[in-house]
Amino acid sequence: MKTLISSALIGAAALGLSASFAIAQDVTLRCQHFLSPKASVPQFFIQPWADKVMADSNGRIKVEIYPAMQLGGKPPALYDQIRDGVIDCGWALPAYTPGRFPESEAFELPFMSSMSAEATSKAAWEYSEKYLMERMGDIHLIATHVHGPGVIHTKGKTVKVPGDLAGLKLRGPSRQANALLEQLGATPVGIPVPAFPEALSKGVVDGGVIPWEIVPPLKVHELADSHTQIGGDRALYNTFFVWGMNKAKYDSLPDDLKAVIDANSGLEVSGNAGAAMDKGDTTGEEVVMAKGNTVITMDDAAVAELRSIGKELTNAWIAEMQDAGLDGAAMVSDAQALVAKYSD
């Protein structure tokens, strides 16, 4: 080995290159997510992030993106794939493993998020620095974010008021969203979002809740015929996302490449992920409008009813966290304050 290094240094010197260049490391990061590359986060966040990391490292870091779980596994396994080094980095939903990351649920509570995914994602990052770094300490956290306002999509049923949800089977993304749907009289069906179109087409569900941005990639607007938005300044529900890297892979990087990853992590990067969702929401809503489907926005009275139910569920979550030895009241208060800080 010494001989090889010496030979490399001699060769570099002969070419007029520095010794540090001669032994510079090149790194490939294999990153995976579960969506089509045409979806908002892959198109407007993950790929631009990869491109910037490669550019900032002068090509020494190569980032390979594998959409639609091309490296194997199911969406709920993504966090463990990152942790275990099956992949070097990835995009994961803590909600797909209920109860494992309870702190993240604060941002999934009813009416916690603002209507801006970018603003709420910045709040989610600052919150994560306080509440999730230990819980997620087995990976290297790069960004946390949320999507835009959730929309109710149904087939053969128009939802104008909360009571219209009674008796419907609806796809839900998280424990908290499912609790809300159940409280409204619906039957929640917890399935990863890629499985939603098939479930809708086969009648397994009557509809579901997803943001506008993911509607076109999943072609939900070709299956559902009615879409209900929630008015006001806060979103009905949300989902918490993680963009993370294998800890051992990050630790193995030389300091200058760690600095590249660090410069592409944190508050602004989390905001970028949220902004990708906002951008996709605009396009998604336009696609649905062009299709001619029914689009409804609930009136103030309906939203007030939902907010009352949401408050009850938030109080129940606080009590549940308290029973688990966590300060649910502080988490909710901090999350609310941070969303206001970046949104209002």
Side-chain angles (χ1 to χ4, degrees), residues 2-71:
K2 289 181 179 179
T3 301
L4 289 173
I5 293 174
S6 297
S7 298
L9 294 176
I10 292 169
L15 293 172
L17 302 176
S18 69
S20 61
F21 181 89
I23 59 173
Q25 291 180 253
D26 291 328
V27 177
T28 297
L29 302 181
R30 298 164 75 244
C31 307
Q32 173 161 254
H33 62 82
F34 57 80
L35 295 176
S36 157
K38 295 182 180 180
S40 300
V41 165
Q43 185 179 180
F44 303 131
F45 171 64
I46 293 177
Q47 190 59 57
W49 180 89
D51 292 342
K52 190 169 185 302
V53 165
M54 289 189 283
D56 289 355
S57 68
N58 294 317
R60 289 177 57 207
I61 299 177
K62 180 181 179 183
V63 183
E64 298 176 350
I65 305 297
Y66 295 87
M69 302 302 291
Q70 288 179 348
L71 295 179

Short mmCIF file of all heavy atoms in Angstrom, two decimals, residues 2-71:
data_model
loop_
_atom_site.label_atom_id
_atom_site.label_comp_id
_atom_site.label_asym_id
_atom_site.label_seq_id
_atom_site.Cartn_x
_atom_site.Cartn_y
_atom_site.Cartn_z
N LYS A 2 1.91 1.26 0.86
CA LYS A 2 2.81 2.41 0.90
C LYS A 2 3.45 2.65 -0.47
O LYS A 2 3.62 3.78 -0.92
CB LYS A 2 3.90 2.20 1.95
CG LYS A 2 3.38 2.27 3.39
CD LYS A 2 4.49 2.08 4.38
CE LYS A 2 3.98 2.17 5.81
NZ LYS A 2 5.07 1.95 6.79
N THR A 3 3.81 1.52 -1.12
CA THR A 3 4.43 1.63 -2.44
C THR A 3 3.46 2.24 -3.44
O THR A 3 3.83 3.09 -4.25
CB THR A 3 4.87 0.24 -2.93
OG1 THR A 3 5.79 -0.30 -1.99
CG2 THR A 3 5.52 0.33 -4.30
N LEU A 4 2.19 1.81 -3.37
CA LEU A 4 1.19 2.34 -4.29
C LEU A 4 0.97 3.82 -4.07
O LEU A 4 0.87 4.60 -5.03
CB LEU A 4 -0.13 1.59 -4.10
CG LEU A 4 -0.16 0.14 -4.60
CD1 LEU A 4 -1.46 -0.53 -4.20
CD2 LEU A 4 0.02 0.09 -6.11
N ILE A 5 0.87 4.24 -2.82
CA ILE A 5 0.66 5.66 -2.52
C ILE A 5 1.86 6.47 -2.97
O ILE A 5 1.72 7.53 -3.57
CB ILE A 5 0.40 5.87 -1.01
CG1 ILE A 5 -0.95 5.24 -0.64
CG2 ILE A 5 0.40 7.34 -0.66
CD1 ILE A 5 -1.25 5.26 0.84
N SER A 6 3.06 5.95 -2.69
CA SER A 6 4.27 6.66 -3.10
C SER A 6 4.32 6.80 -4.61
O SER A 6 4.68 7.86 -5.14
CB SER A 6 5.51 5.90 -2.62
OG SER A 6 5.54 5.86 -1.20
N SER A 7 3.95 5.72 -5.32
CA SER A 7 3.95 5.77 -6.77
C SER A 7 2.95 6.81 -7.28
O SER A 7 3.22 7.53 -8.24
CB SER A 7 3.58 4.39 -7.34
OG SER A 7 4.55 3.44 -6.96
N ALA A 8 1.78 6.87 -6.60
CA ALA A 8 0.76 7.86 -6.99
C ALA A 8 1.27 9.27 -6.79
O ALA A 8 1.07 10.15 -7.63
CB ALA A 8 -0.53 7.64 -6.19
N LEU A 9 1.96 9.48 -5.64
CA LEU A 9 2.48 10.82 -5.35
C LEU A 9 3.57 11.20 -6.33
O LEU A 9 3.64 12.34 -6.80
CB LEU A 9 3.01 10.87 -3.92
CG LEU A 9 1.95 10.71 -2.82
CD1 LEU A 9 2.62 10.66 -1.45
CD2 LEU A 9 0.94 11.85 -2.87
N ILE A 10 4.43 10.23 -6.67
CA ILE A 10 5.50 10.50 -7.63
C ILE A 10 4.91 10.83 -8.99
O ILE A 10 5.32 11.77 -9.67
CB ILE A 10 6.46 9.28 -7.73
CG1 ILE A 10 7.23 9.14 -6.41
CG2 ILE A 10 7.41 9.44 -8.91
CD1 ILE A 10 7.98 7.82 -6.30
N GLY A 11 3.88 10.05 -9.37
CA GLY A 11 3.23 10.29 -10.65
C GLY A 11 2.58 11.66 -10.68
O GLY A 11 2.63 12.37 -11.68
N ALA A 12 1.94 12.03 -9.57
CA ALA A 12 1.30 13.34 -9.49
C ALA A 12 2.32 14.45 -9.59
O ALA A 12 2.11 15.45 -10.28
CB ALA A 12 0.51 13.45 -8.17
N ALA A 13 3.45 14.25 -8.88
CA ALA A 13 4.49 15.28 -8.92
C ALA A 13 5.02 15.44 -10.34
O ALA A 13 5.30 16.55 -10.80
CB ALA A 13 5.63 14.89 -7.98
N ALA A 14 5.15 14.29 -11.04
CA ALA A 14 5.65 14.36 -12.41
C ALA A 14 4.72 15.14 -13.33
O ALA A 14 5.14 15.77 -14.29
CB ALA A 14 5.84 12.93 -12.96
N LEU A 15 3.42 15.10 -12.99
CA LEU A 15 2.43 15.82 -13.79
C LEU A 15 2.18 17.22 -13.27
O LEU A 15 1.34 17.95 -13.79
CB LEU A 15 1.10 15.04 -13.81
CG LEU A 15 1.13 13.69 -14.53
CD1 LEU A 15 -0.17 12.95 -14.30
CD2 LEU A 15 1.36 13.89 -16.02
N GLY A 16 2.90 17.57 -12.22
CA GLY A 16 2.73 18.90 -11.65
C GLY A 16 1.47 19.02 -10.80
O GLY A 16 0.97 20.12 -10.57
N LEU A 17 0.93 17.88 -10.32
CA LEU A 17 -0.29 17.90 -9.51
C LEU A 17 0.07 17.84 -8.04
O LEU A 17 1.13 17.36 -7.65
CB LEU A 17 -1.18 16.70 -9.86
CG LEU A 17 -1.60 16.61 -11.34
CD1 LEU A 17 -2.40 15.33 -11.56
CD2 LEU A 17 -2.42 17.83 -11.75
N SER A 18 -0.85 18.30 -7.19
CA SER A 18 -0.61 18.27 -5.75
C SER A 18 -0.81 16.86 -5.21
O SER A 18 -1.53 16.05 -5.79
CB SER A 18 -1.58 19.22 -5.04
OG SER A 18 -2.89 18.72 -5.13
N ALA A 19 -0.18 16.60 -4.07
CA ALA A 19 -0.34 15.30 -3.43
C ALA A 19 -1.77 15.08 -2.99
O ALA A 19 -2.31 13.98 -3.08
CB ALA A 19 0.60 15.20 -2.22
N SER A 20 -2.43 16.16 -2.53
CA SER A 20 -3.81 16.02 -2.07
C SER A 20 -4.73 15.60 -3.20
O SER A 20 -5.68 14.83 -3.02
CB SER A 20 -4.32 17.32 -1.44
OG SER A 20 -4.30 18.36 -2.39
N PHE A 21 -4.47 16.09 -4.40
CA PHE A 21 -5.28 15.70 -5.56
C PHE A 21 -5.05 14.22 -5.88
O PHE A 21 -5.96 13.50 -6.23
CB PHE A 21 -4.93 16.56 -6.77
CG PHE A 21 -5.75 16.24 -7.98
CD1 PHE A 21 -6.95 16.87 -8.21
CD2 PHE A 21 -5.30 15.30 -8.92
CE1 PHE A 21 -7.72 16.58 -9.33
CE2 PHE A 21 -6.07 15.00 -10.03
CZ PHE A 21 -7.28 15.64 -10.23
N ALA A 22 -3.82 13.78 -5.73
CA ALA A 22 -3.48 12.41 -6.09
C ALA A 22 -4.23 11.39 -5.25
O ALA A 22 -4.58 10.33 -5.73
CB ALA A 22 -1.97 12.18 -5.95
N ILE A 23 -4.50 11.73 -3.99
CA ILE A 23 -5.16 10.77 -3.11
C ILE A 23 -6.61 11.18 -2.83
O ILE A 23 -7.24 10.68 -1.94
CB ILE A 23 -4.39 10.59 -1.78
CG1 ILE A 23 -4.27 11.92 -1.04
CG2 ILE A 23 -3.03 9.99 -2.04
CD1 ILE A 23 -3.66 11.77 0.35
N ALA A 24 -7.11 12.14 -3.62
CA ALA A 24 -8.49 12.58 -3.43
C ALA A 24 -9.46 11.42 -3.63
O ALA A 24 -9.27 10.60 -4.52
CB ALA A 24 -8.82 13.71 -4.41
N GLN A 25 -10.48 11.39 -2.80
CA GLN A 25 -11.46 10.32 -2.89
C GLN A 25 -12.60 10.71 -3.82
O GLN A 25 -13.08 11.84 -3.81
CB GLN A 25 -12.03 10.02 -1.51
CG GLN A 25 -11.05 9.36 -0.55
CD GLN A 25 -11.69 9.10 0.79
OE1 GLN A 25 -11.40 9.77 1.76
NE2 GLN A 25 -12.57 8.12 0.85
N ASP A 26 -13.06 9.76 -4.60
CA ASP A 26 -14.28 9.91 -5.37
C ASP A 26 -15.33 9.02 -4.72
O ASP A 26 -15.05 7.88 -4.34
CB ASP A 26 -14.07 9.50 -6.82
CG ASP A 26 -13.17 10.48 -7.57
OD1 ASP A 26 -13.21 11.68 -7.21
OD2 ASP A 26 -12.44 10.05 -8.47
N VAL A 27 -16.54 9.54 -4.59
CA VAL A 27 -17.59 8.85 -3.84
C VAL A 27 -18.85 8.76 -4.70
O VAL A 27 -19.21 9.72 -5.37
CB VAL A 27 -17.92 9.61 -2.53
CG1 VAL A 27 -19.06 8.93 -1.79
CG2 VAL A 27 -16.69 9.71 -1.65
N THR A 28 -19.49 7.62 -4.66
CA THR A 28 -20.79 7.46 -5.31
C THR A 28 -21.85 7.23 -4.25
O THR A 28 -21.69 6.35 -3.38
CB THR A 28 -20.78 6.27 -6.30
OG1 THR A 28 -19.83 6.53 -7.34
CG2 THR A 28 -22.17 6.07 -6.92
N LEU A 29 -22.91 8.02 -4.30
CA LEU A 29 -24.04 7.86 -3.39
C LEU A 29 -25.21 7.27 -4.18
O LEU A 29 -25.66 7.86 -5.16
CB LEU A 29 -24.45 9.20 -2.79
CG LEU A 29 -23.38 9.97 -2.01
CD1 LEU A 29 -23.96 11.26 -1.46
CD2 LEU A 29 -22.82 9.12 -0.87
N ARG A 30 -25.69 6.13 -3.74
CA ARG A 30 -26.84 5.49 -4.36
C ARG A 30 -28.07 5.82 -3.52
O ARG A 30 -28.20 5.38 -2.38
CB ARG A 30 -26.63 3.99 -4.47
CG ARG A 30 -25.42 3.62 -5.33
CD ARG A 30 -24.97 2.19 -5.12
NE ARG A 30 -25.85 1.22 -5.76
CZ ARG A 30 -26.57 0.32 -5.11
NH1 ARG A 30 -26.53 0.27 -3.79
NH2 ARG A 30 -27.33 -0.53 -5.75
N CYS A 31 -28.98 6.61 -4.10
CA CYS A 31 -30.12 7.14 -3.35
C CYS A 31 -31.43 6.63 -3.96
O CYS A 31 -31.57 6.57 -5.18
CB CYS A 31 -30.10 8.66 -3.37
SG CYS A 31 -28.54 9.38 -2.80
N GLN A 32 -32.38 6.32 -3.10
CA GLN A 32 -33.62 5.70 -3.56
C GLN A 32 -34.85 6.42 -3.00
O GLN A 32 -34.84 6.92 -1.89
CB GLN A 32 -33.64 4.22 -3.14
CG GLN A 32 -34.95 3.50 -3.42
CD GLN A 32 -34.82 2.00 -3.43
OE1 GLN A 32 -34.85 1.38 -4.48
NE2 GLN A 32 -34.69 1.39 -2.25
N HIS A 33 -35.92 6.43 -3.81
CA HIS A 33 -37.22 6.89 -3.33
C HIS A 33 -38.29 6.04 -4.00
O HIS A 33 -37.99 5.17 -4.83
CB HIS A 33 -37.43 8.38 -3.62
CG HIS A 33 -37.42 8.75 -5.07
ND1 HIS A 33 -38.52 8.61 -5.89
CD2 HIS A 33 -36.43 9.25 -5.87
CE1 HIS A 33 -38.23 9.01 -7.11
NE2 HIS A 33 -36.97 9.40 -7.14
N PHE A 34 -39.56 6.28 -3.65
CA PHE A 34 -40.61 5.36 -4.11
C PHE A 34 -41.53 5.95 -5.18
O PHE A 34 -42.53 5.32 -5.57
CB PHE A 34 -41.46 4.87 -2.94
CG PHE A 34 -42.10 5.95 -2.12
CD1 PHE A 34 -43.26 6.58 -2.54
CD2 PHE A 34 -41.55 6.33 -0.90
CE1 PHE A 34 -43.86 7.56 -1.79
CE2 PHE A 34 -42.15 7.32 -0.14
CZ PHE A 34 -43.32 7.94 -0.58
N LEU A 35 -41.22 7.14 -5.68
CA LEU A 35 -42.10 7.79 -6.65
C LEU A 35 -41.53 7.74 -8.07
O LEU A 35 -40.37 7.40 -8.28
CB LEU A 35 -42.32 9.25 -6.26
CG LEU A 35 -43.06 9.51 -4.95
CD1 LEU A 35 -43.12 10.99 -4.67
CD2 LEU A 35 -44.47 8.91 -4.98
N SER A 36 -42.37 8.11 -9.01
CA SER A 36 -41.91 8.33 -10.38
C SER A 36 -40.97 9.53 -10.40
O SER A 36 -41.14 10.47 -9.62
CB SER A 36 -43.12 8.62 -11.28
OG SER A 36 -42.74 9.32 -12.44
N PRO A 37 -39.98 9.54 -11.29
CA PRO A 37 -39.09 10.70 -11.38
C PRO A 37 -39.82 11.97 -11.81
O PRO A 37 -39.29 13.07 -11.67
CB PRO A 37 -38.05 10.28 -12.41
CG PRO A 37 -38.65 9.16 -13.17
CD PRO A 37 -39.57 8.46 -12.21
N LYS A 38 -41.05 11.83 -12.31
CA LYS A 38 -41.83 12.99 -12.73
C LYS A 38 -42.60 13.65 -11.59
O LYS A 38 -43.18 14.72 -11.77
CB LYS A 38 -42.81 12.58 -13.84
CG LYS A 38 -42.14 12.14 -15.13
CD LYS A 38 -43.15 11.78 -16.20
CE LYS A 38 -42.47 11.34 -17.48
NZ LYS A 38 -43.46 10.98 -18.54
N ALA A 39 -42.62 13.00 -10.42
CA ALA A 39 -43.30 13.59 -9.27
C ALA A 39 -42.54 14.81 -8.77
O ALA A 39 -41.36 15.00 -9.08
CB ALA A 39 -43.45 12.55 -8.16
N SER A 40 -43.20 15.63 -7.98
CA SER A 40 -42.64 16.93 -7.59
C SER A 40 -41.33 16.84 -6.83
O SER A 40 -40.35 17.52 -7.16
CB SER A 40 -43.66 17.70 -6.75
OG SER A 40 -44.84 17.91 -7.48
N VAL A 41 -41.28 16.03 -5.78
CA VAL A 41 -40.07 15.96 -4.96
C VAL A 41 -38.89 15.42 -5.76
O VAL A 41 -37.79 16.00 -5.73
CB VAL A 41 -40.31 15.16 -3.67
CG1 VAL A 41 -39.00 14.77 -3.00
CG2 VAL A 41 -41.15 16.00 -2.70
N PRO A 42 -39.02 14.30 -6.49
CA PRO A 42 -37.89 13.85 -7.31
C PRO A 42 -37.45 14.88 -8.35
O PRO A 42 -36.25 15.10 -8.56
CB PRO A 42 -38.41 12.58 -7.97
CG PRO A 42 -39.49 12.10 -7.07
CD PRO A 42 -40.13 13.34 -6.52
N GLN A 43 -38.42 15.52 -9.01
CA GLN A 43 -38.11 16.42 -10.11
C GLN A 43 -37.58 17.77 -9.65
O GLN A 43 -36.62 18.31 -10.23
CB GLN A 43 -39.38 16.63 -10.95
CG GLN A 43 -39.17 17.45 -12.21
CD GLN A 43 -40.45 17.62 -13.02
OE1 GLN A 43 -40.46 18.25 -14.06
NE2 GLN A 43 -41.54 17.05 -12.55
N PHE A 44 -38.18 18.32 -8.59
CA PHE A 44 -37.86 19.68 -8.18
C PHE A 44 -36.99 19.78 -6.94
O PHE A 44 -36.51 20.86 -6.60
CB PHE A 44 -39.15 20.48 -7.95
CG PHE A 44 -40.07 20.52 -9.14
CD1 PHE A 44 -41.42 20.24 -9.01
CD2 PHE A 44 -39.58 20.83 -10.41
CE1 PHE A 44 -42.27 20.27 -10.10
CE2 PHE A 44 -40.42 20.87 -11.51
CZ PHE A 44 -41.77 20.58 -11.36
N PHE A 45 -36.78 18.65 -6.25
CA PHE A 45 -35.91 18.68 -5.06
C PHE A 45 -34.78 17.67 -5.13
O PHE A 45 -33.61 18.03 -5.07
CB PHE A 45 -36.72 18.46 -3.78
CG PHE A 45 -35.84 18.25 -2.57
CD1 PHE A 45 -35.00 19.27 -2.12
CD2 PHE A 45 -35.80 17.03 -1.90
CE1 PHE A 45 -34.16 19.09 -1.02
CE2 PHE A 45 -34.97 16.84 -0.80
CZ PHE A 45 -34.15 17.86 -0.37
N ILE A 46 -35.10 16.39 -5.27
CA ILE A 46 -34.06 15.36 -5.15
C ILE A 46 -33.03 15.48 -6.27
O ILE A 46 -31.81 15.49 -6.02
CB ILE A 46 -34.68 13.95 -5.13
CG1 ILE A 46 -35.49 13.75 -3.84
CG2 ILE A 46 -33.59 12.88 -5.23
CD1 ILE A 46 -36.21 12.41 -3.74
N GLN A 47 -33.48 15.59 -7.53
CA GLN A 47 -32.52 15.69 -8.62
C GLN A 47 -31.72 17.00 -8.56
O GLN A 47 -30.49 16.98 -8.73
CB GLN A 47 -33.22 15.55 -9.97
CG GLN A 47 -32.25 15.41 -11.15
CD GLN A 47 -31.34 14.20 -11.01
OE1 GLN A 47 -31.83 13.07 -10.87
NE2 GLN A 47 -30.02 14.41 -11.02
N PRO A 48 -32.36 18.16 -8.30
CA PRO A 48 -31.57 19.38 -8.14
C PRO A 48 -30.57 19.30 -6.98
O PRO A 48 -29.46 19.83 -7.09
CB PRO A 48 -32.63 20.46 -7.88
CG PRO A 48 -33.84 19.95 -8.59
CD PRO A 48 -33.81 18.46 -8.38
N TRP A 49 -30.97 18.64 -5.90
CA TRP A 49 -30.05 18.45 -4.77
C TRP A 49 -28.84 17.64 -5.23
O TRP A 49 -27.69 17.99 -4.94
CB TRP A 49 -30.75 17.74 -3.62
CG TRP A 49 -29.89 17.51 -2.42
CD1 TRP A 49 -29.69 18.33 -1.35
CD2 TRP A 49 -29.09 16.33 -2.15
NE1 TRP A 49 -28.83 17.78 -0.44
CE2 TRP A 49 -28.43 16.54 -0.91
CE3 TRP A 49 -28.86 15.15 -2.84
CZ2 TRP A 49 -27.57 15.60 -0.35
CZ3 TRP A 49 -27.99 14.21 -2.28
CH2 TRP A 49 -27.36 14.44 -1.05
N ALA A 50 -29.11 16.55 -5.94
CA ALA A 50 -28.02 15.70 -6.44
C ALA A 50 -27.11 16.47 -7.37
O ALA A 50 -25.87 16.38 -7.29
CB ALA A 50 -28.60 14.48 -7.13
N ASP A 51 -27.70 17.24 -8.27
CA ASP A 51 -26.90 18.03 -9.23
C ASP A 51 -26.02 19.04 -8.52
O ASP A 51 -24.85 19.24 -8.89
CB ASP A 51 -27.83 18.76 -10.21
CG ASP A 51 -28.56 17.80 -11.15
OD1 ASP A 51 -28.13 16.64 -11.27
OD2 ASP A 51 -29.59 18.22 -11.72
N LYS A 52 -26.56 19.67 -7.49
CA LYS A 52 -25.79 20.68 -6.76
C LYS A 52 -24.65 20.04 -5.97
O LYS A 52 -23.53 20.57 -5.92
CB LYS A 52 -26.69 21.48 -5.84
CG LYS A 52 -25.99 22.71 -5.23
CD LYS A 52 -26.98 23.62 -4.55
CE LYS A 52 -26.28 24.90 -4.04
NZ LYS A 52 -25.18 24.63 -3.11
N VAL A 53 -24.91 18.92 -5.35
CA VAL A 53 -23.86 18.21 -4.60
C VAL A 53 -22.73 17.81 -5.55
O VAL A 53 -21.55 17.95 -5.22
CB VAL A 53 -24.44 16.98 -3.87
CG1 VAL A 53 -23.34 16.04 -3.41
CG2 VAL A 53 -25.29 17.42 -2.68
N MET A 54 -23.09 17.30 -6.71
CA MET A 54 -22.06 16.91 -7.68
C MET A 54 -21.27 18.12 -8.16
O MET A 54 -20.04 18.07 -8.28
CB MET A 54 -22.71 16.16 -8.84
CG MET A 54 -23.22 14.78 -8.45
SD MET A 54 -23.77 13.72 -9.84
CE MET A 54 -25.38 14.43 -10.19
N ALA A 55 -21.98 19.23 -8.41
CA ALA A 55 -21.28 20.44 -8.86
C ALA A 55 -20.40 21.02 -7.76
O ALA A 55 -19.25 21.41 -8.00
CB ALA A 55 -22.30 21.47 -9.33
N ASP A 56 -20.93 21.09 -6.55
CA ASP A 56 -20.18 21.68 -5.43
C ASP A 56 -18.93 20.87 -5.08
O ASP A 56 -17.96 21.41 -4.54
CB ASP A 56 -21.06 21.80 -4.19
CG ASP A 56 -22.13 22.86 -4.33
OD1 ASP A 56 -22.12 23.58 -5.35
OD2 ASP A 56 -22.99 22.97 -3.42
N SER A 57 -18.96 19.57 -5.39
CA SER A 57 -17.81 18.71 -5.10
C SER A 57 -16.87 18.60 -6.30
O SER A 57 -15.93 17.79 -6.27
CB SER A 57 -18.29 17.31 -4.69
OG SER A 57 -18.89 16.65 -5.80
N ASN A 58 -17.13 19.39 -7.33
CA ASN A 58 -16.33 19.31 -8.57
C ASN A 58 -16.32 17.90 -9.15
O ASN A 58 -15.31 17.44 -9.67
CB ASN A 58 -14.91 19.81 -8.32
CG ASN A 58 -14.87 21.29 -7.97
OD1 ASN A 58 -15.56 22.09 -8.59
ND2 ASN A 58 -14.08 21.64 -6.96
N GLY A 59 -17.45 17.24 -9.01
CA GLY A 59 -17.59 15.91 -9.58
C GLY A 59 -17.05 14.78 -8.74
O GLY A 59 -17.14 13.61 -9.12
N ARG A 60 -16.50 15.09 -7.56
CA ARG A 60 -15.93 14.03 -6.71
C ARG A 60 -17.02 13.21 -6.03
O ARG A 60 -16.79 12.05 -5.67
CB ARG A 60 -14.99 14.64 -5.68
CG ARG A 60 -13.69 15.16 -6.30
CD ARG A 60 -12.81 15.80 -5.25
NE ARG A 60 -12.53 14.88 -4.18
CZ ARG A 60 -12.25 15.27 -2.92
NH1 ARG A 60 -12.24 16.56 -2.61
NH2 ARG A 60 -11.99 14.38 -2.00
N ILE A 61 -18.18 13.81 -5.83
CA ILE A 61 -19.34 13.04 -5.36
C ILE A 61 -20.27 12.82 -6.54
O ILE A 61 -20.70 13.77 -7.19
CB ILE A 61 -20.10 13.78 -4.24
CG1 ILE A 61 -19.21 14.00 -3.02
CG2 ILE A 61 -21.34 12.97 -3.84
CD1 ILE A 61 -19.89 14.79 -1.90
N LYS A 62 -20.55 11.57 -6.82
CA LYS A 62 -21.52 11.22 -7.85
C LYS A 62 -22.78 10.72 -7.15
O LYS A 62 -22.70 9.88 -6.26
CB LYS A 62 -20.97 10.13 -8.77
CG LYS A 62 -21.93 9.72 -9.87
CD LYS A 62 -21.35 8.61 -10.74
CE LYS A 62 -22.34 8.20 -11.83
NZ LYS A 62 -21.82 7.07 -12.65
N VAL A 63 -23.92 11.27 -7.51
CA VAL A 63 -25.18 10.87 -6.90
C VAL A 63 -26.03 10.15 -7.94
O VAL A 63 -26.36 10.71 -8.97
CB VAL A 63 -25.94 12.08 -6.34
CG1 VAL A 63 -27.22 11.62 -5.63
CG2 VAL A 63 -25.07 12.88 -5.37
N GLU A 64 -26.37 8.91 -7.64
CA GLU A 64 -27.23 8.12 -8.51
C GLU A 64 -28.61 8.04 -7.87
O GLU A 64 -28.74 7.64 -6.70
CB GLU A 64 -26.67 6.71 -8.70
CG GLU A 64 -25.30 6.68 -9.38
CD GLU A 64 -24.73 5.28 -9.47
OE1 GLU A 64 -25.30 4.36 -8.83
OE2 GLU A 64 -23.70 5.10 -10.16
N ILE A 65 -29.64 8.42 -8.61
CA ILE A 65 -31.00 8.42 -8.09
C ILE A 65 -31.78 7.24 -8.68
O ILE A 65 -31.85 7.07 -9.90
CB ILE A 65 -31.74 9.73 -8.43
CG1 ILE A 65 -30.93 10.94 -7.94
CG2 ILE A 65 -33.15 9.74 -7.84
CD1 ILE A 65 -30.75 11.00 -6.44
N TYR A 66 -32.37 6.44 -7.80
CA TYR A 66 -33.15 5.28 -8.21
C TYR A 66 -34.61 5.49 -7.80
O TYR A 66 -34.95 5.37 -6.62
CB TYR A 66 -32.59 4.00 -7.58
CG TYR A 66 -31.20 3.67 -8.07
CD1 TYR A 66 -30.07 4.21 -7.45
CD2 TYR A 66 -31.02 2.83 -9.16
CE1 TYR A 66 -28.80 3.92 -7.91
CE2 TYR A 66 -29.74 2.52 -9.63
CZ TYR A 66 -28.63 3.07 -8.99
OH TYR A 66 -27.37 2.79 -9.44
N PRO A 67 -35.49 5.83 -8.76
CA PRO A 67 -36.90 6.04 -8.43
C PRO A 67 -37.66 4.73 -8.29
O PRO A 67 -37.15 3.65 -8.64
CB PRO A 67 -37.40 6.82 -9.64
CG PRO A 67 -36.56 6.33 -10.78
CD PRO A 67 -35.19 6.07 -10.18
N ALA A 68 -38.89 4.85 -7.76
CA ALA A 68 -39.84 3.73 -7.75
C ALA A 68 -39.26 2.45 -7.12
O ALA A 68 -39.55 1.35 -7.57
CB ALA A 68 -40.34 3.45 -9.16
N MET A 69 -38.41 2.62 -6.11
CA MET A 69 -37.83 1.49 -5.36
C MET A 69 -37.08 0.51 -6.28
O MET A 69 -37.15 -0.70 -6.12
CB MET A 69 -38.92 0.75 -4.58
CG MET A 69 -39.69 1.60 -3.60
SD MET A 69 -38.67 2.40 -2.33
CE MET A 69 -38.13 1.00 -1.36
N GLN A 70 -36.33 1.06 -7.23
CA GLN A 70 -35.61 0.22 -8.19
C GLN A 70 -34.52 -0.63 -7.54
O GLN A 70 -34.11 -1.64 -8.12
CB GLN A 70 -35.00 1.10 -9.29
CG GLN A 70 -36.01 1.68 -10.25
CD GLN A 70 -35.37 2.56 -11.31
OE1 GLN A 70 -34.20 2.93 -11.22
NE2 GLN A 70 -36.14 2.92 -12.32
N LEU A 71 -34.06 -0.23 -6.36
CA LEU A 71 -33.05 -1.02 -5.66
C LEU A 71 -33.67 -2.06 -4.74
O LEU A 71 -32.97 -2.75 -4.02
CB LEU A 71 -32.11 -0.10 -4.87
CG LEU A 71 -31.26 0.85 -5.71
CD1 LEU A 71 -30.39 1.74 -4.81
CD2 LEU A 71 -30.39 0.09 -6.69
#
